[in-house]
Amino acid sequence: MDEARLRSLTPGVLAALVRRGADFAAAEDAVQDALVEAVRAWPADPPREPKGWLVTVAWRKFLDAARADTARRRREDLVEEEPAPGPVPGADDTLQLYFLCAHPSLTPSSAVALTLRAVGGLTTRQIARAYLVPEATMAQRISRAKRTVSGVRFDRPGDVATVLRVLYLVFNEGYSGDVDLAAEAIRLTRQLAAQVDHPEVAGLLALMLLHHARRAARTAPDGALVPLAEQDRGRWDTRMIAEGVGILQAALARDRLGEFQAQAAVAALHADASRAEETDWVQIVEWYDELVHLTDNPVVRLNRAVAVGEADGPRAGLAALAELDDSLPRHTAVAAYLHERDGALAPAAQLYAEAARTAPDLAERDHLTRRAALLNARLRR
C-alpha cells in the first residue's frame, strides 16, 4: 500500500480510538505507532482489511501505554472493549475530527498545527514551511498542543474559521507538496459547505476548484513545472472553473468579503483569460489590495508585487518588492522574474541561481535552475 493510501486511513482509525475512550494525544501516538508497524509488516503480509488491522493494532498500542499509568480495574474495562479484528464500518469521521482538533482550549495557530499533523497527514517539516517558521519551532508548538489537549474531553468543537484554515493549508500542501491531499481537501470542503451556510466556506471551495482546474497543465510530461503564463489553457478543466466561478459569485453577492473569497476572485480572473496576455492585471492588483487590507500577510504582499509588475511594469513591481523583507520565501525568485522582465538578464540569472539553492522542493529548484541556465545561454550569444 502506498504512502498516500496509508495516510488516508489515519483519520478513520484515529476517530475509532477517540470514540472508544482514548484521549486525543494518546490516540494520535498510538495511531502513529500502528502506521510504523504497518510499514514494517505489510510488505510481507498485507492484511485483507487494512483499516481494521490498523484499528486493532492502534488500540493495542493505546492499551499498552494505558497499562503503564492506569488502575487494574480500568485496564480490564478497556480490554473488554477491544474491537474484534475484521471489517470496520465505513463512516467518514474526518471532518468531525477537524472540528474536534480546533478545540477551544487551543489557540487557532496551535489547533491548525495539531490538526495538520494528526489528521491531515502532513509532516512537521511541511507544516513549518507553510507557517514560515523553523521546523524545531513547529515541533515544539505541536508538542505543546498535544499536552494541552491530553485528557481533555472532545465535546466542544472549535470554530469554522480554524477548520477553514486547516483545509486551506492541507489543500496547498496537496496541490504542490509531497503527498496528494488536494482532492481530499476539496471533498471535505464540499461536506462543510453542505453543512454550514457561510460565504467564506463557499469562498474556500471556489478557490480550491479554480486552482485544481489548472492542475493538469501545471507540469510537463517530464515533471517540470510550467509557469501559469506558459500553461496550455486547453488542458484546464472548464467545468470545474465554471463551478468555482458560480460558487464565488453567489458568495460575493452576500457582501461579506473574506480572504478566501478575495483569493478566489484572483484565481477567477486568471481563469477568465483565454491567453496569458489577456489577464486583467489591474483588477488583480485591486483584489490583492483587498487581501492586504484583510490579512496584512507578507506572502500576499509578495504576490501583489508580481501583479504590480505585470500591471504597471517590472520597475513598479521591483519598487513594491523593495518594501518587503528579503528573507521572505520566494522573494529572490520574484526579484529574478521582475529583473528578467525588465531586461536585466545578468542580475536575473544570478538571482534565479540563488533562489534555486533555497527552493522548497525539487521541482521548483529544477525550474529555477533552468531559468538561470537559459538566461546565461542568452548572455553568451
Side-chain angles (χ1 to χ4, degrees):
M1 179 174 291
D2 61 29
E3 181 184 2
R5 173 59 177 151
L6 190 61
R7 288 176 182 271
S8 72
L9 296 173
T10 301
V13 178
L14 186 57
L17 267 64
V18 171
R19 283 198 303 269
R20 288 178 168 86
D23 72 75
F24 188 87
E28 202 270 336
D29 289 341
V31 172
Q32 294 300 320
D33 289 342
L35 293 175
V36 171
E37 185 70 15
V39 171
R40 185 192 66 78
W42 287 9
D45 185 21
R48 284 185 296 178
E49 292 287 343
K51 184 178 176 182
W53 187 99
L54 285 169
V55 170
T56 300
V57 172
W59 185 255
R60 288 173 179 165
K61 297 286 187 183
F62 168 72
L63 289 179
D64 288 343
R67 289 189 181 100
D69 55 13
T70 59
R72 179 179 179 81
R73 180 176 297 179
R74 179 58 182 151
R75 293 201 307 267
E76 292 173 350
D77 290 343
L78 289 170
V79 170
E80 289 175 2
E81 296 169 9
E82 179 178 341
V88 174
D92 184 357
D93 303 288
T94 308
L95 190 58
Q96 180 188 9
L97 279 174
Y98 273 63
F99 273 97
L100 292 178
C101 287
H103 197 272
S105 63
L106 295 171
T107 64
S109 61
S110 294
V112 171
L114 177 63
T115 314
L116 290 172
R117 182 70 187 90
V119 187
L122 274 62
T123 65
T124 303
R125 177 174 295 180
Q126 290 169 323
I127 302 168
R129 188 172 68 199
Y131 269 93
L132 310 180
V133 300
E135 184 176 354
T137 301
M138 183 53 64
Q140 291 175 354
R141 184 178 300 177
I142 294 171
S143 295
R144 285 196 300 270
K146 286 184 179 180
R147 288 195 299 271
T148 300
V149 300
S150 180
V152 169
R153 284 184 58 82
F154 279 76
D155 54 0
R156 293 187 299 151
D159 66 351
V160 172
T162 301
V163 174
L164 287 177
R165 178 63 49 191
V166 175
L167 289 168
Y168 173 66
L169 291 173
V170 169
F171 177 81
N172 278 346
E173 190 59 44
Y175 189 63
S176 61
D178 305 321
V179 180
D180 187 354
L181 297 167
E184 172 69 356
I186 291 173
R187 184 184 72 84
L188 292 172
T189 307
R190 285 190 188 279
Q191 285 187 12
L192 185 59
Q195 297 174 19
V196 179
D197 183 21
H198 192 290
E200 272 295 82
V201 176
L204 179 58
L205 179 57
L207 175 63
M208 289 178 174
L209 292 172
L210 289 164
H211 276 298
H212 207 59
R214 304 199 301 254
R215 186 163 191 177
R218 290 185 70 247
T219 54
D222 62 357
L225 288 180
V226 181
L228 178 60
E230 300 173 18
Q231 288 176 15
D232 177 0
R233 301 187 177 212
R235 300 183 66 195
W236 290 1
D237 187 330
T238 54
R239 177 180 292 182
M240 193 176 293
I241 289 172
E243 181 186 4
V245 169
I247 292 170
L248 173 63
Q249 288 174 338
L252 291 174
R254 300 177 66 173
D255 198 24
R256 291 169 56 194
L257 183 64
E259 64 171 297
F260 295 125
Q261 295 169 71
Q263 287 192 56
V266 171
L269 287 167
H270 283 298
D272 188 53
S274 58
R275 297 184 303 123
E277 296 80 6
E278 298 173 0
T279 304
D280 189 342
W281 287 105
V282 172
Q283 268 205 75
I284 289 176
V285 171
E286 291 173 356
W287 278 111
Y288 274 125
D289 288 340
E290 292 281 2
L291 273 167
V292 168
H293 175 72
L294 289 165
T295 69
D296 197 26
N297 186 301
V299 175
V300 170
R301 291 183 178 275
L302 185 69
N303 292 334
R304 180 185 178 278
V306 176
V308 168
E310 299 290 352
D312 300 328
R315 294 192 180 182
L318 287 167
L321 186 65
E323 299 175 1
L324 305 180
D325 185 347
D326 61 9
S327 67
L328 190 65
R330 295 190 171 90
H331 184 285
T332 306
V334 170
Y337 173 73
L338 291 172
H339 275 92
E340 180 184 2
R341 292 260 290 118
D342 195 38
L345 302 190
Q350 183 177 349
L351 287 165
Y352 275 128
E354 182 181 338
R357 289 193 289 271
T358 58
D361 56 61
L362 182 61
E364 187 168 341
R365 186 191 71 188
D366 288 348
H367 169 71
L368 294 168
T369 302
R370 288 192 184 98
R371 295 304 306 172
L374 179 64
L375 293 186
N376 282 324
R378 289 172 59 185
L379 288 166
R380 287 194 294 268
R381 291 174 187 167

PDB file of all heavy atoms in Angstrom, residues 69-88:
ATOM      1  N   ASP A  69       0.004   3.539  33.393  1.00  0.00           N
ATOM      2  CA  ASP A  69      -0.361   4.579  34.352  1.00  0.00           C
ATOM      3  C   ASP A  69      -1.845   4.590  34.735  1.00  0.00           C
ATOM      4  O   ASP A  69      -2.382   5.614  35.129  1.00  0.00           O
ATOM      5  CB  ASP A  69       0.067   5.958  33.811  1.00  0.00           C
ATOM      6  CG  ASP A  69      -0.500   6.244  32.435  1.00  0.00           C
ATOM      7  OD1 ASP A  69      -1.413   5.494  31.994  1.00  0.00           O
ATOM      8  OD2 ASP A  69      -0.045   7.210  31.809  1.00  0.00           O
ATOM      9  N   THR A  70      -2.550   3.493  34.560  1.00  0.00           N
ATOM     10  CA  THR A  70      -3.951   3.409  34.986  1.00  0.00           C
ATOM     11  C   THR A  70      -4.138   2.234  35.934  1.00  0.00           C
ATOM     12  O   THR A  70      -3.349   1.269  35.943  1.00  0.00           O
ATOM     13  CB  THR A  70      -4.891   3.248  33.780  1.00  0.00           C
ATOM     14  OG1 THR A  70      -4.530   2.072  33.065  1.00  0.00           O
ATOM     15  CG2 THR A  70      -4.828   4.454  32.867  1.00  0.00           C
ATOM     16  N   ALA A  71      -5.216   2.271  36.679  1.00  0.00           N
ATOM     17  CA  ALA A  71      -5.504   1.220  37.649  1.00  0.00           C
ATOM     18  C   ALA A  71      -5.911  -0.069  36.950  1.00  0.00           C
ATOM     19  O   ALA A  71      -6.359  -0.058  35.802  1.00  0.00           O
ATOM     20  CB  ALA A  71      -6.631   1.669  38.586  1.00  0.00           C
ATOM     21  N   ARG A  72      -5.810  -1.208  37.697  1.00  0.00           N
ATOM     22  CA  ARG A  72      -6.096  -2.513  37.125  1.00  0.00           C
ATOM     23  C   ARG A  72      -7.547  -2.600  36.637  1.00  0.00           C
ATOM     24  O   ARG A  72      -7.816  -3.123  35.560  1.00  0.00           O
ATOM     25  CB  ARG A  72      -5.833  -3.615  38.167  1.00  0.00           C
ATOM     26  CG  ARG A  72      -6.133  -5.028  37.657  1.00  0.00           C
ATOM     27  CD  ARG A  72      -5.831  -6.064  38.710  1.00  0.00           C
ATOM     28  NE  ARG A  72      -6.133  -7.393  38.232  1.00  0.00           N
ATOM     29  CZ  ARG A  72      -5.321  -8.107  37.454  1.00  0.00           C
ATOM     30  NH1 ARG A  72      -4.159  -7.601  37.087  1.00  0.00           N
ATOM     31  NH2 ARG A  72      -5.651  -9.306  37.051  1.00  0.00           N
ATOM     32  N   ARG A  73      -8.487  -2.050  37.411  1.00  0.00           N
ATOM     33  CA  ARG A  73      -9.889  -2.155  37.019  1.00  0.00           C
ATOM     34  C   ARG A  73     -10.148  -1.441  35.704  1.00  0.00           C
ATOM     35  O   ARG A  73     -10.869  -1.954  34.842  1.00  0.00           O
ATOM     36  CB  ARG A  73     -10.778  -1.574  38.110  1.00  0.00           C
ATOM     37  CG  ARG A  73     -12.270  -1.633  37.771  1.00  0.00           C
ATOM     38  CD  ARG A  73     -13.106  -1.144  38.927  1.00  0.00           C
ATOM     39  NE  ARG A  73     -12.935  -2.008  40.085  1.00  0.00           N
ATOM     40  CZ  ARG A  73     -13.531  -1.797  41.237  1.00  0.00           C
ATOM     41  NH1 ARG A  73     -14.336  -0.739  41.402  1.00  0.00           N
ATOM     42  NH2 ARG A  73     -13.341  -2.613  42.256  1.00  0.00           N
ATOM     43  N   ARG A  74      -9.557  -0.247  35.561  1.00  0.00           N
ATOM     44  CA  ARG A  74      -9.731   0.485  34.311  1.00  0.00           C
ATOM     45  C   ARG A  74      -9.109  -0.264  33.154  1.00  0.00           C
ATOM     46  O   ARG A  74      -9.665  -0.306  32.053  1.00  0.00           O
ATOM     47  CB  ARG A  74      -9.101   1.881  34.437  1.00  0.00           C
ATOM     48  CG  ARG A  74      -9.214   2.737  33.175  1.00  0.00           C
ATOM     49  CD  ARG A  74     -10.639   2.932  32.739  1.00  0.00           C
ATOM     50  NE  ARG A  74     -10.747   3.705  31.520  1.00  0.00           N
ATOM     51  CZ  ARG A  74     -11.711   3.582  30.641  1.00  0.00           C
ATOM     52  NH1 ARG A  74     -12.684   2.708  30.820  1.00  0.00           N
ATOM     53  NH2 ARG A  74     -11.748   4.340  29.564  1.00  0.00           N
ATOM     54  N   ARG A  75      -7.971  -0.906  33.411  1.00  0.00           N
ATOM     55  CA  ARG A  75      -7.327  -1.685  32.335  1.00  0.00           C
ATOM     56  C   ARG A  75      -8.255  -2.794  31.870  1.00  0.00           C
ATOM     57  O   ARG A  75      -8.388  -3.050  30.674  1.00  0.00           O
ATOM     58  CB  ARG A  75      -6.006  -2.272  32.840  1.00  0.00           C
ATOM     59  CG  ARG A  75      -4.935  -1.241  33.152  1.00  0.00           C
ATOM     60  CD  ARG A  75      -3.555  -1.865  33.137  1.00  0.00           C
ATOM     61  NE  ARG A  75      -3.463  -3.036  33.983  1.00  0.00           N
ATOM     62  CZ  ARG A  75      -3.066  -2.992  35.260  1.00  0.00           C
ATOM     63  NH1 ARG A  75      -2.770  -1.827  35.822  1.00  0.00           N
ATOM     64  NH2 ARG A  75      -2.991  -4.093  35.964  1.00  0.00           N
ATOM     65  N   GLU A  76      -8.893  -3.498  32.818  1.00  0.00           N
ATOM     66  CA  GLU A  76      -9.765  -4.606  32.448  1.00  0.00           C
ATOM     67  C   GLU A  76     -10.973  -4.120  31.649  1.00  0.00           C
ATOM     68  O   GLU A  76     -11.412  -4.768  30.695  1.00  0.00           O
ATOM     69  CB  GLU A  76     -10.206  -5.344  33.711  1.00  0.00           C
ATOM     70  CG  GLU A  76      -9.061  -6.087  34.392  1.00  0.00           C
ATOM     71  CD  GLU A  76      -9.464  -6.688  35.730  1.00  0.00           C
ATOM     72  OE1 GLU A  76     -10.580  -6.362  36.202  1.00  0.00           O
ATOM     73  OE2 GLU A  76      -8.671  -7.463  36.292  1.00  0.00           O
ATOM     74  N   ASP A  77     -11.507  -2.929  32.025  1.00  0.00           N
ATOM     75  CA  ASP A  77     -12.629  -2.371  31.270  1.00  0.00           C
ATOM     76  C   ASP A  77     -12.247  -2.086  29.825  1.00  0.00           C
ATOM     77  O   ASP A  77     -13.000  -2.357  28.891  1.00  0.00           O
ATOM     78  CB  ASP A  77     -13.104  -1.075  31.940  1.00  0.00           C
ATOM     79  CG  ASP A  77     -13.787  -1.339  33.277  1.00  0.00           C
ATOM     80  OD1 ASP A  77     -14.185  -2.503  33.525  1.00  0.00           O
ATOM     81  OD2 ASP A  77     -13.914  -0.381  34.055  1.00  0.00           O
ATOM     82  N   LEU A  78     -11.061  -1.529  29.657  1.00  0.00           N
ATOM     83  CA  LEU A  78     -10.609  -1.214  28.297  1.00  0.00           C
ATOM     84  C   LEU A  78     -10.405  -2.473  27.471  1.00  0.00           C
ATOM     85  O   LEU A  78     -10.738  -2.528  26.286  1.00  0.00           O
ATOM     86  CB  LEU A  78      -9.301  -0.402  28.351  1.00  0.00           C
ATOM     87  CG  LEU A  78      -9.424   1.032  28.851  1.00  0.00           C
ATOM     88  CD1 LEU A  78      -8.039   1.616  29.077  1.00  0.00           C
ATOM     89  CD2 LEU A  78     -10.195   1.876  27.858  1.00  0.00           C
ATOM     90  N   VAL A  79      -9.846  -3.525  28.084  1.00  0.00           N
ATOM     91  CA  VAL A  79      -9.616  -4.773  27.352  1.00  0.00           C
ATOM     92  C   VAL A  79     -10.931  -5.355  26.872  1.00  0.00           C
ATOM     93  O   VAL A  79     -11.045  -5.858  25.751  1.00  0.00           O
ATOM     94  CB  VAL A  79      -8.851  -5.780  28.245  1.00  0.00           C
ATOM     95  CG1 VAL A  79      -8.817  -7.145  27.586  1.00  0.00           C
ATOM     96  CG2 VAL A  79      -7.438  -5.294  28.496  1.00  0.00           C
ATOM     97  N   GLU A  80     -11.985  -5.278  27.708  1.00  0.00           N
ATOM     98  CA  GLU A  80     -13.287  -5.801  27.311  1.00  0.00           C
ATOM     99  C   GLU A  80     -13.851  -5.072  26.104  1.00  0.00           C
ATOM    100  O   GLU A  80     -14.645  -5.623  25.349  1.00  0.00           O
ATOM    101  CB  GLU A  80     -14.265  -5.691  28.481  1.00  0.00           C
ATOM    102  CG  GLU A  80     -13.946  -6.670  29.617  1.00  0.00           C
ATOM    103  CD  GLU A  80     -14.861  -6.458  30.807  1.00  0.00           C
ATOM    104  OE1 GLU A  80     -15.749  -5.572  30.705  1.00  0.00           O
ATOM    105  OE2 GLU A  80     -14.696  -7.166  31.809  1.00  0.00           O
ATOM    106  N   GLU A  81     -13.441  -3.799  25.942  1.00  0.00           N
ATOM    107  CA  GLU A  81     -13.955  -3.003  24.830  1.00  0.00           C
ATOM    108  C   GLU A  81     -13.129  -3.146  23.553  1.00  0.00           C
ATOM    109  O   GLU A  81     -13.436  -2.528  22.551  1.00  0.00           O
ATOM    110  CB  GLU A  81     -13.980  -1.521  25.230  1.00  0.00           C
ATOM    111  CG  GLU A  81     -14.931  -1.227  26.380  1.00  0.00           C
ATOM    112  CD  GLU A  81     -14.739   0.166  26.924  1.00  0.00           C
ATOM    113  OE1 GLU A  81     -13.993   0.932  26.285  1.00  0.00           O
ATOM    114  OE2 GLU A  81     -15.314   0.480  27.975  1.00  0.00           O
ATOM    115  N   GLU A  82     -12.087  -3.950  23.575  1.00  0.00           N
ATOM    116  CA  GLU A  82     -11.204  -4.073  22.404  1.00  0.00           C
ATOM    117  C   GLU A  82     -11.999  -4.515  21.195  1.00  0.00           C
ATOM    118  O   GLU A  82     -12.743  -5.488  21.234  1.00  0.00           O
ATOM    119  CB  GLU A  82     -10.096  -5.089  22.678  1.00  0.00           C
ATOM    120  CG  GLU A  82      -9.172  -5.268  21.485  1.00  0.00           C
ATOM    121  CD  GLU A  82      -8.036  -6.238  21.780  1.00  0.00           C
ATOM    122  OE1 GLU A  82      -7.752  -6.488  22.960  1.00  0.00           O
ATOM    123  OE2 GLU A  82      -7.460  -6.742  20.816  1.00  0.00           O
ATOM    124  N   PRO A  83     -11.862  -3.800  20.067  1.00  0.00           N
ATOM    125  CA  PRO A  83     -12.611  -4.178  18.867  1.00  0.00           C
ATOM    126  C   PRO A  83     -12.077  -5.470  18.280  1.00  0.00           C
ATOM    127  O   PRO A  83     -10.876  -5.739  18.302  1.00  0.00           O
ATOM    128  CB  PRO A  83     -12.350  -3.001  17.908  1.00  0.00           C
ATOM    129  CG  PRO A  83     -11.044  -2.441  18.371  1.00  0.00           C
ATOM    130  CD  PRO A  83     -11.005  -2.634  19.856  1.00  0.00           C
ATOM    131  N   ALA A  84     -12.992  -6.265  17.740  1.00  0.00           N
ATOM    132  CA  ALA A  84     -12.579  -7.523  17.111  1.00  0.00           C
ATOM    133  C   ALA A  84     -11.928  -7.227  15.773  1.00  0.00           C
ATOM    134  O   ALA A  84     -12.299  -6.272  15.087  1.00  0.00           O
ATOM    135  CB  ALA A  84     -13.794  -8.417  16.912  1.00  0.00           C
ATOM    136  N   PRO A  85     -10.935  -8.035  15.389  1.00  0.00           N
ATOM    137  CA  PRO A  85     -10.329  -7.857  14.068  1.00  0.00           C
ATOM    138  C   PRO A  85     -11.372  -8.041  12.973  1.00  0.00           C
ATOM    139  O   PRO A  85     -12.365  -8.739  13.152  1.00  0.00           O
ATOM    140  CB  PRO A  85      -9.257  -8.949  14.020  1.00  0.00           C
ATOM    141  CG  PRO A  85      -9.018  -9.318  15.448  1.00  0.00           C
ATOM    142  CD  PRO A  85     -10.316  -9.132  16.151  1.00  0.00           C
ATOM    143  N   GLY A  86     -11.140  -7.416  11.834  1.00  0.00           N
ATOM    144  CA  GLY A  86     -12.045  -7.594  10.710  1.00  0.00           C
ATOM    145  C   GLY A  86     -12.521  -6.275  10.160  1.00  0.00           C
ATOM    146  O   GLY A  86     -12.007  -5.207  10.508  1.00  0.00           O
ATOM    147  N   PRO A  87     -13.545  -6.323   9.292  1.00  0.00           N
ATOM    148  CA  PRO A  87     -14.025  -5.096   8.650  1.00  0.00           C
ATOM    149  C   PRO A  87     -14.504  -4.070   9.660  1.00  0.00           C
ATOM    150  O   PRO A  87     -15.053  -4.395  10.706  1.00  0.00           O
ATOM    151  CB  PRO A  87     -15.189  -5.592   7.778  1.00  0.00           C
ATOM    152  CG  PRO A  87     -14.916  -7.047   7.566  1.00  0.00           C
ATOM    153  CD  PRO A  87     -14.251  -7.521   8.838  1.00  0.00           C
ATOM    154  N   VAL A  88     -14.271  -2.790   9.326  1.00  0.00           N
ATOM    155  CA  VAL A  88     -14.696  -1.674  10.165  1.00  0.00           C
ATOM    156  C   VAL A  88     -15.708  -0.855   9.386  1.00  0.00           C
ATOM    157  O   VAL A  88     -15.528  -0.630   8.186  1.00  0.00           O
ATOM    158  CB  VAL A  88     -13.482  -0.793  10.552  1.00  0.00           C
ATOM    159  CG1 VAL A  88     -13.932   0.440  11.304  1.00  0.00           C
ATOM    160  CG2 VAL A  88     -12.497  -1.603  11.377  1.00  0.00           C
TER     161      VAL A  88
END
